[in-house]
Amino acid sequence: MKIFKQILKPELIAAQIPGRLVIRAEVFLDNVAELEEANNHSVCFYQDKKYFKKLLSSKAGLVFVPADFDENILPEGNLFKVEIPYIYFMLLVQKWLELDQPQTAKKIAPNAMIAGDAEIAEDVELGSGVYIGSKVKIGKGSVLEANCVVRENTVIGENCHFFPNVTVYHDCVIGNDVILHSGVRIGADGFGYLLHDNKQFKLPQVGNVIIKDEVEIGANSCVDRATLGSTIIGKGTKLDNLVQVGHNCVIGENSILCAQVGLAGNTYIGDRVYLAGQVGTADHVTIGDDVMVGAQSGVAGNVAADTKVFGYPAREAGLTRRIMASEKYLPELVRYYRKEIKEKN
Amino acid sequence: MKIFKQILKPELIAAQIPGRLVIRAEVFLDNVAELEEANNHSVCFYQDKKYFKKLLSSKAGLVFVPADFDENILPEGNLFKVEIPYIYFMLLVQKWLELDQPQTAKKIAPNAMIAGDAEIAEDVELGSGVYIGSKVKIGKGSVLEANCVVRENTVIGENCHFFPNVTVYHDCVIGNDVILHSGVRIGADGFGYLLHDNKQFKLPQVGNVIIKDEVEIGANSCVDRATLGSTIIGKGTKLDNLVQVGHNCVIGENSILCAQVGLAGNTYIGDRVYLAGQVGTADHVTIGDDVMVGAQSGVAGNVAADTKVFGYPAREAGLTRRIMASEKYLPELVRYYRKEIKEKN
Amino acid sequence: MKIFKQILKPELIAAQIPGRLVIRAEVFLDNVAELEEANNHSVCFYQDKKYFKKLLSSKAGLVFVPADFDENILPEGNLFKVEIPYIYFMLLVQKWLELDQPQTAKKIAPNAMIAGDAEIAEDVELGSGVYIGSKVKIGKGSVLEANCVVRENTVIGENCHFFPNVTVYHDCVIGNDVILHSGVRIGADGFGYLLHDNKQFKLPQVGNVIIKDEVEIGANSCVDRATLGSTIIGKGTKLDNLVQVGHNCVIGENSILCAQVGLAGNTYIGDRVYLAGQVGTADHVTIGDDVMVGAQSGVAGNVAADTKVFGYPAREAGLTRRIMASEKYLPELVRYYRKEIKEKN
């Protein structure tokens, strides 16, 4: 249950979100909740029939329901009939969060350490223990929470939000409206060594990382700097937690990398690509636009745009599914083969 | 070798742990060690025959041995004959650690930053650089080491121990006796977006995380907040390092999630479940009580209580083992099939 | 593009790196870059023919080319003909970085918190918000950047570099010239519990971690302390980001563990071993010297020295490749078997 400071009435909600109110009792609303935890000040939504029982026993003060919902099912409930309950409910949550946003001025913690030649725009918030290196630039409206560290020469755009304990290495470029969750590491050295005389010789990593506008990166994910040139995350792309992006990768726009995905160096990912959890890619692989890759897949070669691949190794998803369905017969088949066929020959 | 401040004599050990002493020389004991690194002040244990040679050459001052151990094998050694050497040895280590625990008062570092309206109980330790947000509550006896950050409204129970650089986001609830290792991130946003007009629209994440009593979470693991409602880790459950728990997951009691396990959103895990390393689960999957899942498995569907599953995809463990054993014949079988059978038809 | 403070002339480069200059125009050089982003002050390299078009259109001021490169291809370009362009170019980058290194004295930030009984050698740099525990020793020339935390009794050698937000637990031993990237966690508790009376009993973890000289560990990687004894990373071994090393693992010298590799407890890894990304190993497994393990493999048993293994489960790499090549015929084969053979019998 998320309780807001701002109290809403159903009429105010209906004034902002398209739908039709069915009100049986006066309520004031101060929270959003799941059906089963709701109280009579809660807004909830009902979309999937599997939650019908929860709907019937819910104490919710107002429920977003589908437009064709039979009002008689809840004769005493307050309903808001909308096109797609989940989406319109989320729209309400977003608007309510904005209403609740405190309008206090952002401030720089007294114990933040800022290099003398850093350029911090107005209306920037720097939390307790933040360290800002030499020649760093931070655009207006950006918030860096407690204990974030930004190394020298990095440029951060406007209205970014870095949660606590983020590190951005030197020389990187972060766009506007970028969200970095706690523990994200941007710009650590690419992983490059040369085995010579039985000793690993470190290749210097002098490129950087460029994160475009509206990117969000989940907790404890890592994006390595390029050996030379730039590792690039395209506009609007979202990375989940514990994701690894190797040196010199280039990721397009509005792509989704789920948790624990790992991209080896020099992976090229298109726009609107979806990589499910724990997917791995080999280096120098190109994945086209609108590709979907199933969970835990190992992508060893290029993937053409607009295809679905899956498996270890990643293959056309339907083929992998057929292979997987066949595998349970394999022990029997091998037994037959070894006994009936091999013996005869 | 772990050296303790408190020195023990064999008799004192025997007074606390059930077993029978066989003493051939007077010793004082100040450390626990592996057999090969031991000195004559070390306590060691011997249980597995594969370490027999190490036992013979060990300099240990006292060795925990099985109750039926032949004393003549080490005619000059000091022995402590116990039921299960490893377990009783670990019991000693635990007691010794407690004896060694300094009884000094916990203190709040002068450079910890604490919001004016936070409620910090007595006997709480806040390390250097800790930041505690508005309205946070911390129960008595809890220790938050250097550079931990707790965001607003979060409630932390009694006798918790957060190692350095932990982050807990806002509105979360942490029980008593919870251990969070360094770099743990609790309550980062769930990973939810809606692709609309070729743009990823962020779904607000307004739920929280509830961590029950006696949970331990390993270094750099992440537990995301719920979209709505709560992500819940049940009492006594233990997570290893680099584990990912997605939004709205509910994990039961005394379960074990090994390193690098990843749970997609809305995974339901029962009690005493064991997920080996690098296991992944799909979203909305339910795993029953007492289930064991083998390493690197991909759990795509529900798993009934009390079963063992394994593989990619996860299947009944015996079947997966038979499939794996058959696979080595597959190339030969396919060659035969393509040549002998396909050609004929 | 990496811009250096120090400006170089081609002749100065040729004086330090073996090769033959072909100069058509006077230039001064202040950066290294990829061919396509180069300006007329850039040094680039050309080795792989797939970048030939980029070479032709590059504005580079000087290009490292192979010794047999036809000079007439770039009649107006400045060339430096060397044996292996990539390697010699990297050598230049390394030397240039060293030239650029500021010679200013290292310093201890005024807000670093250092226990009174810690021993900090001369010429050590401790960044903003660093916390150094009781009895810690740090050797000369080492740099610990902002918000690093070192717990009591740990010993750190000379010329180490810890990037921001690193944690090293108590009692550990770090050699000389060790690089720990941001978010590395050394010495968190090994993951050991005993299920007794349906409750997980924590086994005390009183060993430590020993990191030998010239080890480099990537961002957010974790090396757990031993239960008893030591977890050991051998000299010159390199770990990428998000790697997990369990308690009591022993890794040899000059081995490579790529991103997201996970070693269960008590894994023994030889010298010059290469573990590709997302590999997992079972506990108590031994992997011999010079072994290569393919990406995402699951190593469940010992692996002999000098072999290549791959797959889930990991098998001799050629066999796994043949199995994978055969799998696409499996659905057809199973269909045939079920229809033609099973029905007859």
Side-chain angles (χ1 to χ4, degrees), chain A residues 47 101 119 140-141 146 201 292:
Chain A
Q47 182 167 315
Q101 204 64 35
E119 294 177 33
K140 70 179 177 191
F201 171 79
M292 294 190 69

Side-chain angles (χ1 to χ4, degrees), chain B residues 87 128 145 147 163 165 181-182 185 216 220 241 254 260 272 295-296 310 324 327 331 338 341-342, chain C residues 113 147 151 167 169 183 185 193-194 198 200 202 220 224 244 260 262 298 312 315 326 329 332 336:
Chain B
I87 304 297
S128 169
E145 294 200 31
N147 294 338
F163 285 88
N165 282 312
H181 280 281
S182 189
R185 315 297 172 198
E216 181 165 0
N220 285 349
N241 300 343
N254 293 300
Q260 297 174 319
R272 297 171 305 281
Q296 296 188 322
F310 174 41
M324 285 179 168
E327 280 172 344
R338 298 189 70 201
I341 298 174
K342 250 185 131 178
Chain C
M113 299 287 278
N147 294 337
R151 297 182 91 233
T167 308
Y169 281 59
R185 315 297 172 196
Y193 302 90
L194 208 74
N198 280 339
Q200 299 290 354
K202 179 177 172 71
N220 285 348
D224 274 357
Q244 155 71 358
Q260 297 174 318
Y312 176 64
R315 288 183 263 235
S326 305
Y329 300 104
E332 185 182 335
Y336 175 82

Side-chain angles (χ1 to χ4, degrees), chain B residues 36-194:
Chain B
E36 63 268 37
E37 60 168 353
N39 62 31
N40 57 356
H41 306 302
S42 300
V43 185
C44 297
F45 74 93
Y46 168 73
Q47 182 166 314
D48 185 338
K49 273 167 189 161
K50 98 178 154 188
Y51 300 110
F52 186 67
K53 272 193 176 166
K54 288 183 177 174
L55 173 69
L56 292 184
S57 61
S58 180
K59 297 179 184 134
L62 179 69
V63 185
F64 282 46
V65 295
D68 61 355
F69 182 83
D70 177 357
E71 295 169 18
N72 301 319
I73 288 169
L74 285 178
E76 292 174 10
N78 293 323
L79 307 175
F80 188 41
K81 301 177 93 169
V82 297
E83 209 183 335
I84 313 170
Y86 182 63
I87 304 297
Y88 283 73
F89 174 83
M90 281 297 170
L91 205 63
L92 168 67
V93 175
Q94 188 58 49
K95 284 174 187 281
W96 214 342
L97 282 171
E98 284 159 16
L99 270 174
D100 251 33
Q101 203 63 36
Q103 292 306 313
T104 54
K106 297 195 184 75
K107 58 186 188 291
I108 291 174
N111 66 344
M113 300 286 279
I114 305 164
D117 55 359
E119 294 176 33
I120 313 296
E122 56 183 332
D123 198 33
V124 161
E125 180 153 331
L126 300 179
S128 169
V130 163
Y131 173 78
I132 304 295
S134 174
K135 297 202 170 72
V136 166
K137 293 178 190 170
I138 304 182
K140 69 178 178 189
S142 286
V143 174
L144 279 68
E145 294 200 31
N147 294 338
C148 285
V149 176
V150 182
R151 298 182 90 232
E152 65 272 17
N153 295 319
T154 280
V155 177
I156 297 169
E158 301 182 357
N159 298 314
C160 290
H161 194 142
F162 295 4
F163 285 88
N165 282 312
V166 163
T167 308
V168 185
Y169 281 59
H170 52 287
D171 296 333
C172 295
V173 180
I174 314 281
N176 301 319
D177 303 299
V178 168
I179 300 172
L180 301 184
H181 280 281
S182 189
V184 163
R185 315 297 172 198
I186 303 294
D189 282 352
F191 193 64
Y193 303 90
L194 207 73

Side-chain angles (χ1 to χ4, degrees), chain A residues 281-302:
Chain A
T281 68
D283 52 349
H284 291 89
V285 152
T286 297
I287 296 181
D289 295 343
D290 299 293
V291 165
M292 294 190 69
V293 182
Q296 295 189 321
S297 297
V299 180
N302 294 346

Side-chain angles (χ1 to χ4, degrees), chain C residues 232-285:
Chain C
I232 301 172
I233 314 280
K235 186 176 173 181
T237 283
K238 316 295 185 185
L239 277 59
D240 199 351
N241 300 343
L242 294 164
V243 168
Q244 155 71 358
V245 177
H247 64 87
N248 294 86
C249 286
V250 178
I251 305 180
E253 300 189 357
N254 293 300
S255 286
I256 295 280
L257 279 67
C258 293
Q260 297 174 318
V261 160
L263 307 185
N266 291 287
T267 303
Y268 304 91
I269 308 261
D271 297 340
R272 297 171 305 281
V273 169
Y274 183 91
L275 305 184
Q278 299 184 333
V279 162
T281 67
D283 52 349
H284 291 90
V285 151

